Amino acid sequence: MAIAHLEAESESVSFTDLSRNPKGVAARAAALGRLRVTHRDAPDMVLTTAARAERDEENLTTASRLFLALMKQDDGAKALLLALPEVFPWVRHLDAEEVRAFTVELLEALSDAAELGAGESVHRAIISWRATARINADPEQLRESLRPLETE
């Protein structure tokens, strides 16, 4: 999600460019807002200004708090539950209780990301619930997952 957005809007430079011309690369990053730094032997990095990073964190915190507040109201919770299939089409393979559990876990993870900097929890919640939906969508996998485990 965010990664695809970043790739679409961001220019990039190599790590070698950064090491050879740090002032020029920093100026370019400041002008663009963010700049992808590619590295042959390591994951890419993103160079941005502190002000932009702080604004992004503030935006995440605001959105997280707004969604948590909505979940506390019946109409807000209903709206979030109705919007979920548009954002995550695979939730159609979850039953109503699983959709509620996913929503709560996702919002708690967003809160952790915003308040604690624990962004990995959002990704983990999404991929684990998507895996559950994938199993539910395949009758054979679902049957196998419900089979009691053999004891030793």
Side-chain angles (χ1 to χ4, degrees):
M1 289 180 221
I3 293 171
H5 173 72
L6 178 62
E7 288 172 356
E9 99 175 16
S10 177
E11 290 188 35
S12 66
V13 296
S14 70
F15 190 79
T16 303
D17 294 335
L18 175 61
S19 64
R20 288 184 181 156
N21 184 11
K23 286 183 181 180
V25 170
R28 189 167 165 202
L32 292 171
R34 67 172 128 219
L35 185 64
R36 179 179 290 270
V37 179
T38 60
H39 196 290
R40 183 180 33 192
D41 300 323
D44 291 356
M45 297 180 293
V46 176
L47 186 60
T48 190
T49 63
R52 174 139 183 182
E54 289 164 1
R55 232 182 7 258
D56 289 349
E57 287 176 22
E58 183 180 324
N59 292 343
L60 177 60
T61 301
T62 300
S64 169
R65 290 177 179 170
L66 178 63
F67 287 135
L68 286 171
L70 283 171
M71 278 300 286
K72 293 178 182 176
Q73 301 174 14
D74 288 340
D75 288 344
K78 189 183 297 184
L80 286 173
L81 290 170
L82 290 173
L84 217 56
E86 200 168 316
V87 179
F88 303 105
W90 45 262
V91 300
R92 71 182 183 279
H93 297 290
L94 302 176
D95 64 32
E97 186 56 38
E98 289 171 325
V99 171
R100 277 190 220 80
F102 168 56
T103 304
V104 169
E105 187 174 335
L106 178 62
L107 293 180
E108 288 173 347
L110 285 168
S111 177
D112 289 347
E115 305 291 340
L116 305 172
E120 192 61 30
S121 61
V122 176
H123 178 70
R124 193 171 37 255
I126 293 169
I127 63 169
S128 62
W129 279 103
R130 185 173 48 214
T132 301
R134 186 176 293 124
I135 289 169
N136 288 350
D138 182 340
E140 188 175 316
Q141 280 189 335
L142 181 59
R143 206 172 19 261
E144 182 65 24
S145 72
L146 296 174
R147 188 176 56 81
L149 297 175
E150 295 178 18
T151 57
E152 294 183 17

